Amino acid sequence: MTLPNRSHSYREFIDPSEPMYISDRDILAKLVEFEHASPGELSQQRFRENVIRLQLRDLKRIGLVQSLSHDTYEMTDFGRSVSEGEESLPSKDGLFMVAEIDDRTFPDSNWHLNDFSNLDGETIIAVNFDIIDDSAEEYGWIQDSPEKTRHKIGNVSETDLNRIMREFPTHEPIPQQSAHWVRAIAGLHFFPDANHRTAMNTLSVLYRTLMDGPLPIGDNIGRVVLESKIARVLLTDVRFDTLWKRDALYQVWHRYFRRVLCGDGDKRHEPPEHKLRLILNYAREIL
């Protein structure tokens, strides 16, 4: 499935007739069965957990489910009445028309990233190649071999990269989306090196497509990347099924983007960078 040359919603690509997806109504039915469940439990190792995670957030927005914790949900009384047919909501193929039900739950049109017309998997790979050409001395070669490194970059799956864009949380505000994007690209670690730089450079493409201006970069970006690497190595496990989780790695970047995009966030305790680097190097050594 190719991305449309326009803005899109992740929900456009949910086809309950395909074996990897489940409808909103079937999610409600399973919550009746389980009483409460996480996206992982609802996926039953059959359906795409990351997509279910976004569906549950939308179902929460329209009052059909409520969260018991960060990633666990239960049915509301209203959701139960809809599931049992006592209440009616507009839907198609088992998917509720979320924007029609409550458009107030969505960010303003100029405050969310949903147009990937200037980006695709091939372009993301090219961005990583460009980083080699621009700063080869700063790129970590595989076994000190530029040839092996370039071969590995060229073998990165465009399909996997395009999936991130198809199933991206298009209904969340930019600071959250930006954190999800960097977490996905850096966390899945597609490339031998420069995954954070690739994430930021490609995020800049998405931001410029929407805002017609450059993505603001904070003067502490180097420190944030270091914190991100520590969180990735020690605190998180980023896989396709765990995409869009708001874990420690996400929090590092959400805090950063709240600052640079919204001027939000209090000054916090910041240990010296050289100590953070010692922690990262030690973690890499023992792990």
Side-chain angles (χ1 to χ4, degrees):
M1 292 181 288
T2 58
L3 287 162
N5 192 27
R6 55 170 174 77
S7 61
H8 81 275
S9 165
Y10 82 92
R11 295 178 70 81
E12 294 178 36
F13 293 94
I14 300 176
D15 183 354
S17 68
E18 295 291 332
M20 71 285 287
Y21 296 119
I22 183 173
S23 73
D24 295 335
R25 289 192 178 276
D26 284 340
I27 288 176
L28 293 183
K30 288 186 177 297
L31 282 175
V32 171
E33 176 185 350
F34 294 140
E35 293 188 6
H36 55 77
S38 68
E41 290 168 326
L42 292 169
S43 73
Q44 299 178 297
Q45 298 184 330
R46 294 171 50 205
F47 309 110
R48 289 191 171 171
E49 177 183 334
N50 64 304
V51 178
I52 293 174
R53 182 166 290 110
L54 299 184
Q55 289 175 264
L56 283 165
R57 289 175 187 170
D58 277 341
L59 295 179
K60 179 181 177 181
R61 286 168 177 154
I62 59 176
L64 299 178
V65 305
Q66 60 189 8
S67 54
L68 294 176
S69 68
H70 158 62
D71 216 29
T72 304
Y73 295 83
E74 68 176 358
M75 187 97 70
T76 62
D77 290 340
F78 178 57
R80 193 174 299 275
S81 67
V82 170
S83 178
E84 294 175 354
E86 298 173 3
E87 298 274 359
S88 178
L89 289 177
S91 64
K92 181 179 180 181
D93 298 328
L95 297 172
F96 294 108
M97 313 300 287
V98 176
E100 294 181 17
I101 296 168
D102 188 357
D103 60 3
R104 295 171 300 173
T105 62
F106 292 84
D108 188 84
S109 60
N110 66 352
W111 197 236
H112 56 186
L113 304 168
N114 57 9
D115 187 346
F116 292 80
S117 56
N118 292 322
L119 195 66
D120 56 18
E122 181 181 4
T123 302
I124 296 174
I125 294 170
V127 166
N128 193 263
F129 272 124
D130 287 344
I131 292 173
I132 290 183
D133 296 333
D134 291 342
S135 56
E137 73 283 356
E138 299 177 14
Y139 201 99
W141 304 117
I142 298 175
Q143 299 176 355
D144 293 325
S145 170
E147 181 180 353
K148 289 181 180 178
T149 303
R150 290 180 178 275
H151 180 73
K152 185 173 179 64
I153 296 171
N155 281 341
V156 170
S157 170
E158 293 182 25
T159 299
D160 286 346
L161 293 168
N162 287 329
R163 176 183 166 185
I164 291 176
M165 290 178 275
R166 284 196 310 271
E167 299 174 354
F168 190 67
T170 48
H171 298 165
E172 296 192 18
I174 290 179
Q176 287 94 314
Q177 290 180 311
S178 299
H180 283 307
W181 181 261
V182 178
R183 178 186 180 274
I185 300 299
L188 289 171
H189 216 259
F190 289 102
F191 304 101
D193 195 15
N195 287 277
H196 282 90
R197 283 175 280 174
T198 301
M200 293 297 290
N201 289 351
T202 51
L203 178 62
S204 296
V205 174
L206 299 177
Y207 188 86
R208 189 179 290 275
T209 299
L210 176 69
M211 306 297 284
D212 195 27
L215 175 71
I217 302 297
D219 56 10
N220 65 334
I221 183 64
R223 178 189 182 85
V224 176
V225 170
L226 185 55
E227 292 178 350
S228 176
K229 290 179 178 179
I230 292 173
R232 176 183 173 270
V233 171
L234 292 178
L235 302 175
T236 61
D237 180 20
V238 182
R239 306 182 306 273
F240 269 98
D241 56 355
T242 66
L243 286 180
W244 327 134
K245 291 191 75 169
R246 294 167 178 160
D247 59 11
L249 182 55
Y250 166 87
Q251 295 298 337
V252 168
W253 287 104
H254 186 218
R255 181 169 58 243
Y256 168 78
F257 285 114
R258 281 172 49 206
R259 287 182 178 180
V260 298
L261 297 177
C262 308
D264 186 18
D266 296 330
K267 183 72 174 178
R268 60 193 178 88
H269 173 62
E270 295 183 341
E273 283 191 40
H274 73 276
K275 291 187 177 181
L276 294 178
R277 196 166 296 282
L278 286 173
I279 292 171
L280 176 61
N281 291 337
Y282 178 69
R284 284 173 168 169
E285 181 181 342
I286 65 174
L287 294 177

